[in-house]
Amino acid sequence: MAVLERGVMASKPSYAIWRLLLMSIGQLGVQFTWTLEFALTTPFFEKTIGTSQTVSHAVWLLGPLSGMIMAPLVGGLSDRLGTRRPFILVFLCLSVTGMFFFGSATTVVPAVVAFGVMDFALNGTMWPLRALYSDAVNEVQQHDVQSAAAVNASMGEILSSLFVWSLAEPVTYVR
């Protein structure tokens, strides 16, 4: 049965803000990982792998490329198949795999490939997550759930930054 909320008929239930925060908690993990990647990738390439600044900066071209490819690809496939969770699970596993191999890399090519897997997989996780919690709430709470996701993303960035800041030599300790 539809319920009148803020003057709009809603077919989905209304959730308390704490439920919206829990619903969008995955955004905290995605942003935590992005921030780690932003903070540690260039120093890792330059200090650990020994690449030039040109190579370490060229690697960052994968970021916009992965976003331009993964957002429409994964979004379209998950819309067509009508499910988000399998995409989230698969790309989450790929993100972890990419992180593991990136941290273990000792030469340029494996590090770039692992970074690419991690970056593409993070995008593959992020877009279905956003669609999933957007799908779960009624039209009236769309702004609320996006705001809750922004709060979670901010907390992820703060926690990740504090983690990196707590290490005297982050690249040395992460390895």
Side-chain angles (χ1 to χ4, degrees):
M1 181 166 126
V3 180
L4 187 63
E5 294 181 34
R6 297 184 204 167
V8 177
M9 294 301 280
S11 59
K12 296 176 184 172
S14 185
Y15 295 103
I17 191 67
W18 69 269
R19 296 270 317 256
L20 296 176
L21 286 165
L22 285 175
M23 186 183 300
S24 61
I25 197 79
Q27 199 63 39
L28 186 146
V30 169
Q31 192 60 45
F32 185 93
T33 309
W34 280 122
T35 304
L36 278 180
E37 184 180 304
F38 293 151
L40 301 175
T41 297
T42 299
F44 181 80
F45 272 102
E46 291 177 9
K47 292 180 181 178
T48 305
I49 305 291
T51 64
S52 66
Q53 283 187 344
T54 304
V55 171
S56 67
H57 294 299
V59 168
W60 287 106
L61 293 174
L62 288 172
L65 184 64
S66 69
M68 288 188 317
I69 292 170
M70 295 306 285
L73 179 68
V74 173
L77 282 173
S78 67
D79 284 347
R80 181 174 292 162
L81 297 174
T83 184
R84 315 272 189 219
R85 288 179 180 94
F87 290 96
I88 295 167
L89 182 62
V90 166
F91 287 114
L92 174 68
C93 291
L94 284 171
S95 294
V96 171
T97 303
M99 281 186 268
F100 173 76
F101 284 109
F102 180 70
S104 303
T106 57
T107 59
V108 176
V109 173
V112 170
V113 169
F115 177 81
V117 167
M118 181 173 54
D119 210 60
F120 274 79
L122 278 169
N123 270 296
T125 304
M126 181 177 60
W127 298 112
L129 262 177
R130 287 184 178 181
L132 179 66
Y133 53 74
S134 184
D135 290 347
V137 300
N138 61 47
E139 185 179 318
V140 174
Q141 286 194 302
Q142 290 296 318
H143 179 74
D144 297 337
V145 77
Q146 298 299 332
S147 297
V151 167
N152 278 321
S154 299
M155 291 305 299
E157 188 163 346
I158 290 168
L159 292 172
S160 183
S161 297
L162 287 171
F163 173 69
V164 172
W165 175 73
S166 73
L167 303 172
E169 292 288 331
V171 173
T172 305
Y173 288 122
V174 170
R175 191 124 213 254

